[in-house]
């Protein structure tokens, strides 16, 4: 069962929503709010109101009336607000020895099996839930976690208390910590959960626009200095773009060799707390808009060895090395802003479709060779799509075979 679920409604309550102020419809056990769509419906609002509080599954497939397109069903899914148990589902739950497996909807695997035996499976949502993240679709990333219930259920961290010391004092085993930290929680979208709980708290938060405001002037100044010592504009651009590409390699190496070392993480509280502070909190609360980009003070620490690297590799010319360095820093700016954009903004439909189709391999396929194959195939999309490859946040991938064929 996902940790973030939609509410369940009684049939009588759903049936009462049949006015212009509030109009719900159902298909099976899914409940959709069509209130905002009434005025935009091509057939007029009266047709929807006629089926307010009722099941529209049959009428939407009726070719005589109008056989609706896939886009109509996509719109419905965007307005899914909850579930309602049909009579056959309720009957199965009442007669079951484990009704908690069936209700609230959607059922877990055992509950779904019991519903199939009783012929009621076609009336329940068939969302495939990722066992790692506890989520079934990208929409789950926008549903606020019930903090009290989450803490009671998982016995991990209380999002209302300073997180760092909870990790330090929690006595968590490595396996338990990793299982929980990779299970995303959603805090108040306009706030950040406390990390330190003291004067250090403001240093852990950075608005996305601080990154370009702070770093772009330095990039521009360094680029200007570099071009003064490079004979031609073409050479300057070539070195600058080399730095941009080099940043991609360095960033990927950092993620694979530093941020994502779960297998080699020592099983002690020092390592676990360090992992949480360095990158684990980002997996745990991925929608925290003030912790999606790196604070300038922290990036200075990382930018310094990158400066040394550029001047070591391109040791023969200070201007060349500086051009490479500035291109790399610009790559970082693009990466961090894209990182924020993909986490926190409603991005284009085409990109949403691409991520929902390609990226759930992280939650459906075993971690290893197939996922590595995907990373190699989409190297050019690394900066844009890397987030979802690691977090497994996307629609549940239903056609595993076709995805494996894509990798091969």
């Amino acid at each position: 069962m996902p940790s973030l679920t939609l509410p369940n409604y009684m049939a009588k309550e759903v049936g009462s929503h049949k006015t212009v102020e509030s109009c719900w419809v159902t298909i099976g056990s899914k409940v959709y709010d069509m209130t905002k769509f009434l005025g935009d419906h091509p057939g007029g609002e009266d047709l929807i109101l006629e089926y307010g509080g009722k099941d529209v599954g049959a009428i939407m497939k009726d070719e005589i009336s109008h056989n609706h397109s896939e886009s109509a069903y996509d719109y419905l899914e965007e307005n899914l607000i909850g579930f309602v148990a049909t009579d056959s589902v309720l009957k199965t739950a009442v007669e079951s020895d484990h009704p908690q497996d069936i209700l609230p909807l959607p059922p877990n695997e055992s509950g779904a099996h019991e519903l199939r035996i009783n012929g009621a499976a076609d009336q329940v949502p068939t969302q495939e839930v990722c066992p790692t993240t506890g989520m079934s679709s990208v929409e789950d990333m926008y549903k606020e976690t019930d903090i009290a219930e989450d803490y009671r259920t998982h016995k991990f961290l209380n999002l209302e208390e300073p997180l760092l010391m909870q990790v330090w004092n929690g006595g968590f085993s490595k396996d338990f910590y990793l299982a929980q930290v990779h299970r995303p929680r959603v805090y108040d979208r306009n706030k950040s959960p406390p990390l330190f709980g003291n004067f250090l708290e403001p240093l852990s938060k950075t608005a996305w626009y601080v990154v370009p405001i702070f770093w772009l002037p330095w990039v521009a100044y360094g680029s200007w200095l570099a071009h003064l010592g490079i004979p031609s504009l073409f050479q300057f651009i070539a070195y600058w773009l080399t730095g941009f590409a080099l940043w991609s390699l360095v960033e990927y190496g950092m993620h694979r060799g530093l941020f994502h070392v779960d297998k080699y993480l020592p099983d002690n509280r020092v390592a676990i707390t360090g992992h949480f502070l360095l990158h684990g909190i980002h997996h745990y609360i991925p929608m925290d808009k003030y912790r999606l980009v790196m604070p300038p003070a922290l990036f200075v620490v990382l930018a310094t060895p990158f400066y040394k690297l550029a001047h070591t590799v391109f040791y023969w010319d200070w201007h060349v090395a500086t051009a490479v360095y500035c291109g790399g820093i610009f790559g970082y700016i693009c990466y961090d802003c894209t990182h924020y954009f993909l986490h926190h903004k409603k991005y284009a439909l085409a990109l949403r479709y691409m991520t929902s189709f390609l990226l759930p391999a992280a939650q459906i396929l075993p971690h290893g060779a197939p996922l590595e194959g995907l990373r190699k195939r989409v190297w050019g999309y690394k900066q844009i799509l890397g987030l979802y490859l690691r977090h497994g946040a996307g629609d549940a991938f239903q056609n595993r075979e076709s995805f494996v064929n894509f990798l091969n």
Side-chain angles (χ1 to χ4, degrees), residues 92-355:
T92 302
V94 169
E95 296 175 352
S96 173
D97 293 331
H98 302 283
Q100 71 277 6
D101 291 342
I102 300 173
L103 297 174
L105 298 174
N108 61 24
E109 186 175 345
S110 298
H113 176 69
E114 194 167 350
L115 288 168
R116 284 193 294 271
I117 293 176
N118 288 275
D122 61 336
Q123 300 178 33
V124 299
T126 56
Q127 299 186 79
E128 185 171 355
V129 176
C130 169
T132 302
T133 65
M135 295 184 175
S136 61
S137 71
V138 70
E139 281 71 27
D140 281 344
M141 294 294 290
Y142 297 91
K143 300 168 191 168
E144 192 171 319
T145 300
D146 184 326
I147 295 175
E149 180 62 28
D150 178 74
Y151 185 68
R152 281 196 300 269
T153 301
H154 299 287
K155 305 294 191 295
F156 184 47
L157 302 179
N158 184 347
L159 291 174
E160 298 289 6
E161 302 294 333
L163 300 177
L164 189 64
M165 293 310 296
Q166 291 186 72
V167 176
W168 177 259
N169 295 319
F172 307 126
S173 69
K174 168 186 169 180
D175 290 341
F176 176 79
Y177 163 77
L178 290 175
Q180 291 300 318
V181 83
H182 294 315
R183 190 181 188 92
R185 273 69 165 185
V186 182
Y187 194 68
D188 186 328
R189 295 290 301 280
N190 296 312
K191 299 179 182 178
S192 296
L195 178 59
F196 297 105
N198 54 32
F199 67 94
L200 294 173
E201 195 69 27
L203 298 179
S204 71
K205 303 174 185 178
T206 305
W208 72 269
Y209 51 81
V210 171
V211 171
I213 289 175
F214 183 86
W215 287 108
L216 280 178
W218 291 106
V219 170
Y221 178 64
S223 298
W224 179 76
L225 289 178
H227 102 280
L228 295 177
I230 298 177
S232 71
L233 180 62
F234 176 80
Q235 287 182 326
F236 166 74
I237 293 175
Y239 285 124
W240 197 90
L241 291 177
T242 298
F244 188 90
L246 186 60
W247 159 256
S248 181
L249 291 170
V250 170
E251 191 279 330
Y252 184 77
M254 287 171 57
H255 266 79
R256 294 294 293 159
L258 182 61
F259 295 156
H260 298 278
V261 291
D262 295 0
K263 181 179 179 181
Y264 305 103
L265 184 69
D267 194 356
N268 60 65
R269 72 176 184 174
V270 175
I272 288 173
T273 304
H275 180 276
F276 183 79
L277 187 61
L278 184 65
H279 200 62
I281 187 174
H282 173 55
H283 283 222
Y284 187 59
I285 314 169
M287 303 305 290
D288 184 347
K289 66 180 182 179
Y290 294 113
R291 294 195 176 108
L292 287 177
V293 298
M294 190 171 293
L298 179 58
F299 186 69
V300 167
V301 176
L302 297 177
T304 301
F306 188 74
Y307 180 85
K308 297 292 186 182
L309 175 64
H311 282 263
T312 298
V313 175
F314 301 90
Y315 62 90
W316 63 86
D317 191 315
W318 183 91
H319 296 90
V320 167
T322 301
V324 171
Y325 178 72
C326 290
I329 298 300
F330 184 77
Y332 154 72
I333 295 170
C334 294
Y335 171 82
D336 241 5
C337 291
T338 302
H339 191 196
Y340 176 89
F341 170 77
L342 283 177
H343 269 275
H344 204 70
K345 295 297 182 183
K346 294 285 188 177
Y347 45 100
L349 181 61
L351 186 57
R352 291 183 67 188
Y353 177 79
M354 181 165 60
T355 56

Side-chain angles (χ1 to χ4, degrees), residues 335-400:
Y335 171 82
D336 241 5
C337 291
T338 302
H339 191 196
Y340 176 89
F341 170 77
L342 283 177
H343 269 275
H344 204 70
K345 295 297 182 183
K346 294 285 188 177
Y347 45 100
L349 181 61
L351 186 57
R352 291 183 67 188
Y353 177 79
M354 181 165 60
T355 56
S356 68
F357 181 76
L358 291 178
L359 304 178
Q363 65 184 40
I364 302 302
L365 297 179
H367 190 83
L371 186 54
E372 285 301 312
L374 173 63
R375 287 196 177 95
K376 293 174 183 176
R377 293 289 293 275
V378 299
W379 177 263
Y381 300 108
K382 171 63 181 69
Q383 302 291 357
I384 300 177
L385 307 182
L387 156 70
Y388 293 96
L389 283 170
R390 297 309 312 165
H391 297 323
D395 294 339
F397 190 82
Q398 301 297 329
N399 194 338
R400 178 182 179 130

Side-chain angles (χ1 to χ4, degrees), residues 26 42 76 148 222 297 360:
T26 67
L76 279 173

